Amino acid sequence: MKYDKIVFGGLVVTPGGTIAADVAICGEKIAAIGSGLAELVPEAEKIDASGHLVLPGVLDVHVHLELPFCGTTSSDDYRTGTRAGARGGVTTLIDFAIPYGRDGKYESLSQAADNWHRKAEGKAMIDYTFHICITKWDQHFNQVKGMVDRGFPTFKEFMIYESEGWQSDDRAMFGTLELMAEYGSMLLVHAESSRVLDELIQRFHTPDMMQRYGARLHAMTRPNFIESEAIQRAVTWSEVTGGPLYIVHMSTGEGADIIQDAQARGIPVTAETCAQYLVLDDSVFAEPDGHLFACCPQVKKPKDVARLWQGLTDGEVSVVSTDTCSFTREQKAMWAGDWTKIPMGMPGLETLLPVVYTHGVLENRITLEQLVEKLSTNPARIMGLAPRKGMIQVGSDADLVIIHPDRKFEIDPATMETNTDWNPYEGSELAGFARTTLSRGEVIVDNYRVVGKEGRGQWLARTTAGPLK
Amino acid sequence: MKYDKIVFGGLVVTPGGTIAADVAICGEKIAAIGSGLAELVPEAEKIDASGHLVLPGVLDVHVHLELPFCGTTSSDDYRTGTRAGARGGVTTLIDFAIPYGRDGKYESLSQAADNWHRKAEGKAMIDYTFHICITKWDQHFNQVKGMVDRGFPTFKEFMIYESEGWQSDDRAMFGTLELMAEYGSMLLVHAESSRVLDELIQRFHTPDMMQRYGARLHAMTRPNFIESEAIQRAVTWSEVTGGPLYIVHMSTGEGADIIQDAQARGIPVTAETCAQYLVLDDSVFAEPDGHLFACCPQVKKPKDVARLWQGLTDGEVSVVSTDTCSFTREQKAMWAGDWTKIPMGMPGLETLLPVVYTHGVLENRITLEQLVEKLSTNPARIMGLAPRKGMIQVGSDADLVIIHPDRKFEIDPATMETNTDWNPYEGSELAGFARTTLSRGEVIVDNYRVVGKEGRGQWLARTTAGPLK
Amino acid sequence: MKYDKIVFGGLVVTPGGTIAADVAICGEKIAAIGSGLAELVPEAEKIDASGHLVLPGVLDVHVHLELPFCGTTSSDDYRTGTRAGARGGVTTLIDFAIPYGRDGKYESLSQAADNWHRKAEGKAMIDYTFHICITKWDQHFNQVKGMVDRGFPTFKEFMIYESEGWQSDDRAMFGTLELMAEYGSMLLVHAESSRVLDELIQRFHTPDMMQRYGARLHAMTRPNFIESEAIQRAVTWSEVTGGPLYIVHMSTGEGADIIQDAQARGIPVTAETCAQYLVLDDSVFAEPDGHLFACCPQVKKPKDVARLWQGLTDGEVSVVSTDTCSFTREQKAMWAGDWTKIPMGMPGLETLLPVVYTHGVLENRITLEQLVEKLSTNPARIMGLAPRKGMIQVGSDADLVIIHPDRKFEIDPATMETNTDWNPYEGSELAGFARTTLSRGEVIVDNYRVVGKEGRGQWLARTTAGPLK
Amino acid sequence: MKYDKIVFGGLVVTPGGTIAADVAICGEKIAAIGSGLAELVPEAEKIDASGHLVLPGVLDVHVHLELPFCGTTSSDDYRTGTRAGARGGVTTLIDFAIPYGRDGKYESLSQAADNWHRKAEGKAMIDYTFHICITKWDQHFNQVKGMVDRGFPTFKEFMIYESEGWQSDDRAMFGTLELMAEYGSMLLVHAESSRVLDELIQRFHTPDMMQRYGARLHAMTRPNFIESEAIQRAVTWSEVTGGPLYIVHMSTGEGADIIQDAQARGIPVTAETCAQYLVLDDSVFAEPDGHLFACCPQVKKPKDVARLWQGLTDGEVSVVSTDTCSFTREQKAMWAGDWTKIPMGMPGLETLLPVVYTHGVLENRITLEQLVEKLSTNPARIMGLAPRKGMIQVGSDADLVIIHPDRKFEIDPATMETNTDWNPYEGSELAGFARTTLSRGEVIVDNYRVVGKEGRGQWLARTTAGPLK
């Protein structure tokens, strides 16, 4: 055992708390954590973390890169997306492999995985894997087992997006959750109630209304019950099948209440929110560029924001991710005043850690240890990547991010790695950007600049996934 | 004010309790309740109720007569059905007017009401009205107000029966409940979860399985969550719209739990069960003639039976009805071993009061006052027929049923008014048949024999409907 | 059967609803209810109720007359108290017979009943009975059965009032509730948490504080948890023993929540509030004469007021009474600035119906039928006096009160029957005073004047008591 | 930084999971955790943990040594008690310093602490501190702050034990919890409902009953509600004051339900159970030597045992301790057939880890990580001793226990360190005894033999205590 590199002098956030210690790396792995390691192994390469915090690399488990969606393709691909991630301290991401259909005939789950592998290979700077989307239950149900065996134990279904050809119904969710219970795998669900949503959209989809309300209609047509009814229903299917369920991008306080209750009753359900639901609210839609902020589900009310933070400390919200799906101003302009035509999504990988660190830790909503739990440890555990990823622990991958405790940078799209010309946090100042990022022992961000090689990122095979015990 | 008839000497179940009193009738109405009325008005016609119980006429608010269904037509029409009702003490029934569709074009709600009026006119011996079924939301939504104005404040939607062309989805329920909140009317819902039910039916619908399990498959493909998920969902739409909701033929204990919780939270939801769910369980399907007992939803487990009785005393189950839909043995034989082809339904009007009186009151599960509440007073109040119907009260219609407290009759299809050659309670002995039935002051059952005239029954106009206060 | 008197032309509130009908009386009982009775029996005495409402006489089941308390004796005795009741439509009251102790030796329960009989006899104008207070469990426990046999199935324990020698502890409550379960009787509890109350009183009981806050200290030392902890504890003893429990004068919203939850779990517990908790709040203590308003427990906050009205419509609050315990201004002046010395209590019998009618029915918080339920029917049923009292029903006592629907009188102590020189509702205008009161068929209030004879009131024997079914 | 000793080759249970690693010790502290440390520092003393598990030393936070109680003194003092602890892997204990009273005048809290310091000094082999008992609120309330400042942030009150002069009432609990909220300290409560317990004891305390039921009366007089009512009440005081509350030795399933609910509502309450409640039930009292098993509260029913294990995995039970209070057979014989005279208590320190390891981990009720959480990490965090104690973490005290994963020893009082001649687990075989125990870097158990020096244990100062975040 040779210690190649030693990160010294920092405050290290470990599963047992934050301690002053050195972290020794051997090859791609963490080899030791201790006092005085730097002096003990003078020959090792030294990385000075004095005056800094040393965190496990962040896992963003909800990312879409180069996604054909809403009539265009999202603007961040694996090259720009993973560079953005690296700068934000993200060392692992999980994308969604989506099988497309034509004339009712869908690609296989395996083809979808292949397609996404191709997007990533040669471009990704950080490690990655995919959730496998089930878009046509009748054709896909007997392919699920094969994908688990191939290293993909997480699947996803959308309760909306009929027009994209992605929508699943109760039968698909029920059937998939039965399989999840059998295979030790987990179903991610985009929970919105499609038919009532359709109804509300149809009511407001008139020239008159669009003239009058513009982008505000995005929020007006999605009252909170659109999400909460769908969560309730998905939870019911999880309860009766015993299949592990993971609610993605939960945006409502009502959702948090349902999850809290379900967990207390022992139902294997987990909830994720995204950074934007913790800091933005739907007052953005009243602003001139409001349409830029359209993502799906949309950001909600201040009381939802408060309830979601509460969920992070109470425990019913286990993960913060981003639902990264970047579009440029030009792409967003396709809406032309009709909110149903806005390419929905926003950038996020680069600002996940800064946003949650600045608004969560520095503003005393959560502790530093809770931040690490929600951004690294929990996602790794739930998605079947622990203990390899998600914690600073002997034997784990040496994925580390070193941040200054309070140095802030102004958010300016022009200076960011993300491939967009606007940013939801534009103009604000955020701390928590990576001074140094290590991925499997290799420095990929140095002195706030991305220095890693494209294509060095690896696909991560997994065997099981499911709720925290 | 002249007292034409006086029912004397009986124990009269009034809203304030059971008292020894005479009931004086003037024309079609109850004119007085009191001691000594018979002596006071010697010239009035006397009906001796000595040694008997005098109850308000029963309302069966869930009846299908002459219904085209499952490829045949139910065997009781307004002639035999209302005779059967009269013999069982039923003086008011509510049927369901269903608009049928061909090639996607549906009859209007008004045409459906007209059709049902035609079935009833000239045949009905007792009073009646209809719930109006909404089978095609897109075509029917703007006809709802007109039907309320025409005297029909109760509507119904089916969450299943796609093949019959009757199925409603979340959008229809949501939209209808919004209208109910606006018009002071109420939506009845047949709550079963269609897509998962389809899935389960499809799994078992093989020659092998049918050979092996026969009629038991009817229960095996409808686990309790098929009903409870649907009830939960309907309740959610009631909650978010404020629209009054009435769950018909609730058959599961889980359903009762959901209703209890919803009522405690102030949601305007009411639940009905049927007599068969209170006395039968799904062990019937293992018997040689098990297929006869197929109704929809099917009878459930003994623990559901117990929970529904509990719901009657606790209060979350407000009404007992029958879902009368008679078929003969020959009609039932159409199944030929395939449970999905059984004409679903059973007779009920004639035995509603006897079954609930015998198994409820005589077996001390409920009091006599509770029986009257669940069979007469509550249905009248909820369906917008009180105080005209449902109680022995000055000014109300003189609809009375006089029963002997313990005289029993054996159930024998050959001697019944119901037009079927089998009966779910065949061979058992039941008390509670009408010795005398009065409908609007007229004797239509005398000494256990039906003596009323066909066609004397009247349609009952109503203005509002909704939950008990 | 001869009909002596007939109340005609009014709107009569019966258990089945409000109807236009005549009420015929034979001796002390209601003999018939019907249309046209007045014409049918021309020889009967007629009481014209045209344009008026005819209600069952009110039961005030929480009354203290001529009570030695707080170093003085309450100013209304059976003469003035029952006159006041008659004017307010109260035809039955229940007082509390309290055994006093000297040197640790207490009067027996039977002696206490005898003492209270003596207070009532020859003076009472309306019917009455007593709850039997258990003030010394060790001496009283084996006298409970005897009191039930003597016609007293309701008992009371105080969780406070150590200085009066009345306080019961958990052991007494537990033991008494065990007996209640055995005898079909019921325990009433004054629920306040004694030791923490003592602590809070002691903290504030300084010249400084009394100078500064005056009568406001009465509220400041009794935060809501003083009542709610005690209710929770009493409910626990009811739950584990199965003994019927009745919480008297509940004043907090938290209490209503506990009762609602307990009833949903099937615990045999009932709650009463008093008229003052429905219309006054503790802002009264900030006024110059604030000390007059001290009763125990004290009136609470506007949110409690709102929650208690809600409890009346939801059902968890079953009864409204008064806790009548009148003191004159001179008696109240004994406080001399020390709130712990205020004689606690206020008049109530005369204004119970007017207050609840005016603020409840006329202000649309409850219906007329709900008023009758909470003031007459429920108290009669719960206290073991139904069907004799509490409803307009053939065979019941002819206790009737006839009120004008909107004629108001200004509250002026000088013109009231109550023996006090102040009134909590002084200066306000209330409808609902009795134009006519009948007690067992006899007119005791005529044209708003009390005309009944002293001493005509009778003691009411009872056999069982307990929660509404 | 010099690494003096290295524990190598074992599986180490760290806060982040169980890993193969070496643990390097510098003086009294853990200096590093890593792969290959043993080879890297050849000069360090080596402790071979190959084939063994390395756990953090256990904290038993509920211990009574040399306690005058029930008319005698418990038989384990700081010499035998801490030797027993060491053999069982316990490296920290918390005892209870109790101020005694004579003629109503009580020792001060400070005197009590002094007394307990004297018991421990010169004898203790492991580290220790005390909870400070408040036995006379009126005299002690103004001494609380001083004890927090002196390093004692945990206090205790008994809701029973009037005869010992220890009993607190609601006023004391309320007042203490107010102080806890203010000082960042925590109140431990022995929750049993005194007055109803007295009643039940009195009922059964007859020669007849004692003859007939013997030691079984200990359980018969303490139905579960004796504990649960008291827990509910204590929780209420915690809720209204915001003061952190810790329920000691919780023995009932009902208690676990209350705690679960309270935590969900955000009340700062924590629960501890003891090893005996997880493996014994009250069938022991029917055996000939049943009286030996009397502790207080007594062991309960199998369903409580199951619920408490569930509480450990669900999370509402945070700590397992022992309530060690040893008595010899001779001392226990003082009962002479009267269960109220049994010296209540049992030994526990020596078997805490073996019992929970054998019945919990080896029988798959909890994981190894959960065991460490409940026996080490949680008690350290809650009692204000983390991160110094309770986890294997760089910078923490080198308190380690090395156990063989499955080597079992038969429980034989003759070969144990505990000073008693019987044992509740006598005859059973338990794994989990310490092969090696290190306390602050010093080996005190070597090859299953106690080798540490008496008196080397240190008192542990603390500043705050409270619930897990």
Side-chain angles (χ1 to χ4, degrees), chain D residues 260-291:
Chain D
Q260 189 173 37
D261 178 64
Q263 290 175 338
R265 288 188 290 136
I267 303 172
V269 56
T270 304
E272 158 200 288
T273 192
C274 300
Q276 58 269 34
Y277 304 119
L278 293 170
V279 288
L280 300 176
D281 65 66
D282 65 6
S283 60
V284 296
F285 298 118
E287 295 180 18
D289 271 355
H291 68 285

Side-chain angles (χ1 to χ4, degrees), chain B residues 245-263:
Chain B
L245 171 71
Y246 178 99
I247 301 295
V248 298
H249 53 48
M250 189 169 72
S251 63
T252 58
E254 287 86 344
D257 292 342
I258 293 168
I259 297 299
Q260 188 174 38
D261 178 63
Q263 291 176 336

